[in-house]
Structure formats: structure tokens, C-alpha cells
């Protein structure tokens, strides 16, 4: 299912983005945030919604990506923009909290080592995962996209996905592009057992410090 065939009025969304911009009274550029309430059973592991998406208009902030990979993969990883690449040496840095990072990638054959960091990476939501695209052997492509701001998302225990889709200095059309891209990604991860259910219950859009606006689902 694609959002372009789905239940949104683009003019209504543009009005929401314009209202958010008008109501901002702070002297810093707020983020534009989205909260999506899903029709899922959070107790059923098969209904967990998680994935990643590179939005058409990024936030201008690069991410620090560390990569668990053998030495033979170091050159290609650094050329793609990785902050640090290694195995045991990187393991020690993460374990001893002597390195800062936003994303953790791993090759499949490095996961035996990375799995030992579960108690550190798990609570941060940074444990490499196939479905999230953070376990990969296509390091060049994956690193490049995450460095550019590729977003990782996952529903919380209430069945809600929270994320940022832009900044208030984006045009309303840029925010609309990012909204459509983000929703399309979530819909593409809809569990098969929910085929005949209305998947998106409620969607709210807000600025960092501002009022939330409910998106009209026709």
C-alpha cells in the first residue's frame, strides 16, 4: 500500500505545516515531530513495527556511524564516512564508554562479537538488527545513508512511533515530502496478519515546543 493511494489530503497537511510555522515563537529552529498511533498488538512480537528510511530532505546533521567489521573492510568503510571501524579495539571502546556514536553497524560475521555488547547497546536501541538495516555486508551504501541522516524507527510499548521529519525552516512542501516518505516506509512494514485492518489509527504533527495537530484520516 502506498500513501499516494491512501487517505490523506495533501492540502490539509500543508495547512498544518504552515500553522506550526506561524505559531512558533522561539528563537531557535524547532524540529517538526510526528507521532503515529498504530493498530497493533504490542505483546505480539510479529506485530512490532521497525525499519529505517532516508528522507528526501535531511536535517543537515550528519551522524557518527561506528562499524564492526574485519580489517579488510576498513578502507571502504572509512571512505563511505564511518567514524570508527574495528573489531576488538572498537568493542573495548564501546564497553568502556570511550567513544561517542549515533549508529552502530555490523557485518553479519561480526555479530558474534557485537552480541556480547547487548546490555550496553540494547537499552540504547542501537543493537545491530537485520530488519533495521544495521546488520549488512553492503557497508559502502549503508554507511553513506546513515551518515546522511537515515532514520531508524520502532514502535514503543503503546504502539506509537515517534520521530522527527524535518525542521521549521524547511518549506511546507519539503515537510510534506518527508511526511509521505516516512509514512510510506511504515506502511511497507505493516504485518501481514493486519491485512484487513485500518493500520494507522491517529497521526499527530507538532514542533518541538508547540501544539500538536491531528492529521485528518479520511
Amino acid at each position: 500500500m502506498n500513501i499516494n493511494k491512501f487517505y490523506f489530503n495533501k492540502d490539509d497537511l500543508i495547512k498544518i505545516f504552515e500553522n506550526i510555522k506561524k505559531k512558533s515563537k522561539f528563537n531557535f529552529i524547532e524540529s517538526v515531530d510526528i507521532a503515529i498511533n498504530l493498530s497493533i498488538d504490542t505483546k505480539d512480537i510479529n506485530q512490532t513495527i521497525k525499519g529505517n528510511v532516508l528522507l528526501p530532505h535531511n536535517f543537515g546533521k550528519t551522524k557518527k556511524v561506528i562499524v564492526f567489521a574485519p580489517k579488510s573492510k576498513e578502507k571502504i568503510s572509512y571512505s563511505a564516512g564511518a567514524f570508527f571501524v574495528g573489531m576488538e579495539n572498537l568493542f573495548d571502546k564501546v564497553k568502556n564508554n570511550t567513544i561517542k556514536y549515533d549508529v552502530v553497524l555490523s557485518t553479519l560475521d561480526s555479530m558474534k562479537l557485537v552480541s556480547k555488547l547487548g546490555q550496553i547497546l540494547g537499552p540504547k536501541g542501537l543493537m545491530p538488527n537485520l530488519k533495521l538495516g544495521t546488520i549488512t555486508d553492503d557497508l559502502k551504501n549503508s554507511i553513506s545513508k546513515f551518515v546522511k541522516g537515515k532514520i531508524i524507527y520502532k514502535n514503543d510499548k503503546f504502539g506509537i512511533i515517534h520521530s522527527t521529519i524535518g525542521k521549521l525552516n524547511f518549506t511546507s512542501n519539503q515537510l510534506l515530502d518527508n511526511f509521505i516518505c516516512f509514512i510510506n516506509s511504515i506502511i511497507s512494514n505493516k504485518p501481514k496478519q493486519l491485512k484487513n485492518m485500518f493500520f494507522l489509527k491517529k497521526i499527530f504533527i507538532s514542533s518541538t515546543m508547540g501544539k500538536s495537530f491531528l492529521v485528518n484520516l479520511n
Side-chain angles (χ1 to χ4, degrees):
M1 184 182 293
N2 187 290
I3 193 175
N4 294 317
K5 301 175 183 177
F6 209 54
Y7 310 105
F8 297 93
N9 184 307
K10 292 183 180 180
D11 290 336
D12 286 348
L13 286 164
I14 289 291
K15 288 178 182 177
I16 287 176
F17 294 131
E18 290 177 350
N19 276 328
I20 291 173
K21 288 170 174 284
K22 288 177 184 177
K23 292 181 182 296
S24 177
K25 298 178 181 179
F26 298 93
N27 60 358
F28 65 95
I29 300 173
E30 295 180 78
S31 295
V32 177
D33 302 322
I34 188 170
I36 306 166
N37 194 342
L38 302 171
S39 294
I40 58 173
D41 180 1
T42 57
K43 295 179 182 178
D44 182 352
I45 193 171
N46 294 316
Q47 293 188 35
T48 297
I49 307 300
K50 55 186 175 182
N52 60 76
V53 59
L54 181 62
L55 300 178
H57 311 285
N58 64 43
F59 312 147
K61 180 183 178 182
T62 58
K63 292 186 176 181
K64 285 186 176 181
V65 178
I66 60 173
V67 183
F68 283 91
K71 197 168 184 66
S72 60
K73 301 285 187 178
E74 282 188 5
K75 186 175 180 180
I76 193 170
S77 297
Y78 280 122
S79 66
F83 176 65
F84 196 94
V85 186
M87 289 293 287
E88 284 79 8
N89 56 339
L90 180 54
F91 179 94
D92 291 338
K93 287 180 178 293
V94 173
K95 185 177 180 180
N96 297 321
N97 196 30
T98 59
I99 187 171
K100 292 184 178 180
Y101 49 89
D102 302 305
V103 180
V104 182
L105 299 186
S106 173
T107 58
L108 188 58
D109 58 3
S110 301
M111 279 305 297
K112 185 176 181 180
L113 176 65
V114 181
S115 63
K116 297 176 182 178
L117 294 170
Q119 290 185 330
I120 296 173
L121 298 178
K124 297 178 180 179
L126 294 177
M127 188 58 141
N129 182 289
L130 277 171
K131 193 169 182 179
L132 295 177
T134 46
I135 297 178
T136 177
D137 287 324
D138 184 8
L139 291 175
K140 182 178 180 180
N141 184 48
S142 298
I143 293 168
S144 176
K145 288 183 177 180
F146 279 111
V147 167
K148 290 176 182 176
K150 194 173 190 179
I151 294 172
I152 295 174
Y153 59 82
K154 182 181 179 182
N155 66 268
D156 64 16
K157 63 181 180 180
F158 302 109
I160 301 172
I161 290 177
H162 300 271
S163 186
T164 296
I165 58 170
K167 295 284 188 179
L168 279 187
N169 60 347
F170 285 18
T171 68
S172 294
N173 281 317
Q174 286 177 322
L175 292 169
L176 178 62
D177 289 343
N178 281 1
F179 175 91
I180 290 173
C181 182
F182 191 77
I183 297 295
N184 271 338
S185 179
I186 291 173
I187 291 173
S188 71
N189 285 308
K190 179 180 178 180
K192 292 180 180 179
Q193 62 264 48
L194 301 183
K195 184 176 180 180
N196 297 318
M197 290 182 65
F198 191 66
F199 184 45
L200 308 175
K201 289 171 66 177
K202 290 183 180 180
I203 300 177
F204 291 92
I205 301 174
S206 67
S207 61
T208 306
M209 306 289 289
K211 174 185 174 182
S212 292
F213 290 83
L214 177 65
V215 176
N216 181 31
L217 303 179
N218 297 323

